[in-house]
Short mmCIF file of all heavy atoms in Angstrom, two decimals:
data_model
loop_
_atom_site.label_atom_id
_atom_site.label_comp_id
_atom_site.label_asym_id
_atom_site.label_seq_id
_atom_site.Cartn_x
_atom_site.Cartn_y
_atom_site.Cartn_z
N LYS Y 31 -34.18 -143.39 71.71
CA LYS Y 31 -34.52 -143.52 73.11
C LYS Y 31 -35.68 -144.54 73.31
O LYS Y 31 -35.71 -145.20 74.22
CB LYS Y 31 -34.82 -142.15 73.75
CG LYS Y 31 -33.61 -141.26 73.85
CD LYS Y 31 -33.96 -139.89 74.50
CE LYS Y 31 -32.77 -139.04 74.49
NZ LYS Y 31 -33.12 -137.61 74.94
N ARG Y 32 -36.56 -144.37 72.44
CA ARG Y 32 -37.80 -145.24 72.50
C ARG Y 32 -37.39 -146.72 72.34
O ARG Y 32 -38.09 -147.66 72.83
CB ARG Y 32 -38.86 -144.88 71.49
CG ARG Y 32 -39.49 -143.54 71.87
CD ARG Y 32 -40.60 -143.32 70.84
NE ARG Y 32 -41.11 -141.91 71.13
CZ ARG Y 32 -41.28 -141.05 70.20
NH1 ARG Y 32 -41.06 -141.35 68.88
NH2 ARG Y 32 -41.71 -139.82 70.51
N GLY Y 33 -36.29 -146.97 71.55
CA GLY Y 33 -35.96 -148.27 71.30
C GLY Y 33 -34.94 -148.93 72.33
O GLY Y 33 -34.44 -149.98 72.06
N GLN Y 34 -34.75 -148.27 73.44
CA GLN Y 34 -33.86 -148.80 74.44
C GLN Y 34 -34.33 -150.16 75.02
O GLN Y 34 -35.53 -150.29 75.25
CB GLN Y 34 -33.66 -147.81 75.58
CG GLN Y 34 -32.81 -146.62 75.12
CD GLN Y 34 -32.66 -145.49 76.14
OE1 GLN Y 34 -33.36 -145.48 77.19
NE2 GLN Y 34 -31.72 -144.67 76.00
N LYS Y 35 -33.44 -151.02 75.30
CA LYS Y 35 -33.71 -152.28 75.93
C LYS Y 35 -33.88 -152.21 77.40
O LYS Y 35 -33.55 -151.23 77.96
CB LYS Y 35 -32.57 -153.23 75.59
CG LYS Y 35 -32.17 -153.37 74.08
CD LYS Y 35 -32.68 -154.67 73.51
CE LYS Y 35 -32.25 -154.87 72.05
NZ LYS Y 35 -32.98 -154.15 71.12
N SER Y 36 -34.37 -153.20 78.01
CA SER Y 36 -34.57 -153.26 79.44
C SER Y 36 -33.31 -153.06 80.26
O SER Y 36 -33.34 -152.84 81.42
CB SER Y 36 -35.33 -154.58 79.82
OG SER Y 36 -34.42 -155.70 79.46
N TYR Y 37 -32.16 -153.28 79.57
CA TYR Y 37 -30.85 -152.99 80.24
C TYR Y 37 -30.82 -151.70 80.90
O TYR Y 37 -30.28 -151.44 81.98
CB TYR Y 37 -29.75 -153.11 79.14
CG TYR Y 37 -28.39 -152.67 79.62
CD1 TYR Y 37 -27.61 -153.39 80.45
CD2 TYR Y 37 -27.92 -151.35 79.36
CE1 TYR Y 37 -26.40 -153.00 80.86
CE2 TYR Y 37 -26.74 -150.89 79.79
CZ TYR Y 37 -25.92 -151.73 80.56
OH TYR Y 37 -24.76 -151.24 80.91
N TYR Y 38 -31.51 -150.68 80.29
CA TYR Y 38 -31.46 -149.32 80.78
C TYR Y 38 -32.48 -149.11 81.88
O TYR Y 38 -32.52 -148.05 82.49
CB TYR Y 38 -31.79 -148.32 79.64
CG TYR Y 38 -30.74 -148.24 78.65
CD1 TYR Y 38 -30.81 -148.91 77.36
CD2 TYR Y 38 -29.51 -147.58 78.91
CE1 TYR Y 38 -29.79 -148.87 76.51
CE2 TYR Y 38 -28.51 -147.53 78.07
CZ TYR Y 38 -28.56 -148.21 76.79
OH TYR Y 38 -27.62 -148.10 75.91
N ASN Y 39 -33.29 -150.10 82.15
CA ASN Y 39 -34.25 -150.06 83.29
C ASN Y 39 -33.62 -150.46 84.64
O ASN Y 39 -34.31 -150.50 85.62
CB ASN Y 39 -35.55 -150.87 83.03
CG ASN Y 39 -36.29 -150.35 81.92
OD1 ASN Y 39 -36.21 -149.12 81.61
ND2 ASN Y 39 -36.94 -151.17 81.09
N ASN Y 40 -32.33 -150.72 84.59
CA ASN Y 40 -31.58 -151.10 85.81
C ASN Y 40 -31.74 -150.00 86.82
O ASN Y 40 -31.57 -148.78 86.45
CB ASN Y 40 -30.12 -151.42 85.37
CG ASN Y 40 -29.30 -151.87 86.48
OD1 ASN Y 40 -29.45 -151.50 87.66
ND2 ASN Y 40 -28.33 -152.73 86.17
N SER Y 41 -31.95 -150.37 88.05
CA SER Y 41 -32.09 -149.36 89.02
C SER Y 41 -30.92 -148.42 89.24
O SER Y 41 -31.06 -147.28 89.76
CB SER Y 41 -32.50 -149.99 90.36
OG SER Y 41 -31.49 -150.78 90.81
N SER Y 42 -29.74 -148.93 88.89
CA SER Y 42 -28.49 -148.00 89.08
C SER Y 42 -28.42 -147.03 87.94
O SER Y 42 -27.56 -146.17 87.89
CB SER Y 42 -27.25 -148.89 89.17
OG SER Y 42 -27.13 -149.53 87.94
N TYR Y 43 -29.22 -147.22 86.83
CA TYR Y 43 -29.14 -146.31 85.71
C TYR Y 43 -30.25 -145.24 85.88
O TYR Y 43 -31.41 -145.47 85.99
CB TYR Y 43 -29.46 -147.04 84.41
CG TYR Y 43 -29.40 -146.13 83.22
CD1 TYR Y 43 -28.27 -145.69 82.62
CD2 TYR Y 43 -30.67 -145.84 82.55
CE1 TYR Y 43 -28.28 -144.93 81.52
CE2 TYR Y 43 -30.63 -145.02 81.44
CZ TYR Y 43 -29.50 -144.53 80.96
OH TYR Y 43 -29.47 -143.77 79.82
N SER Y 44 -29.83 -144.01 86.04
CA SER Y 44 -30.76 -142.91 86.33
C SER Y 44 -31.55 -142.40 85.12
O SER Y 44 -32.57 -141.68 85.27
CB SER Y 44 -30.05 -141.79 86.89
OG SER Y 44 -29.17 -141.11 85.94
N GLY Y 45 -31.09 -142.75 83.91
CA GLY Y 45 -31.87 -142.34 82.73
C GLY Y 45 -31.47 -140.88 82.26
O GLY Y 45 -31.91 -140.41 81.20
N GLN Y 46 -30.61 -140.26 83.01
CA GLN Y 46 -30.16 -138.94 82.60
C GLN Y 46 -28.67 -138.85 82.53
O GLN Y 46 -28.02 -139.44 83.31
CB GLN Y 46 -30.53 -137.81 83.63
CG GLN Y 46 -32.01 -137.63 83.76
CD GLN Y 46 -32.44 -136.60 84.77
OE1 GLN Y 46 -31.68 -136.32 85.62
NE2 GLN Y 46 -33.59 -136.10 84.68
#
Side-chain angles (χ1 to χ4, degrees):
K31 289 177 185 175
R32 289 184 188 133
Q34 290 177 340
K35 306 251 185 285
S36 61
Y37 168 80
Y38 292 104
N39 293 332
N40 186 325
S41 61
S42 65
Y43 179 76
S44 69
Q46 294 181 340

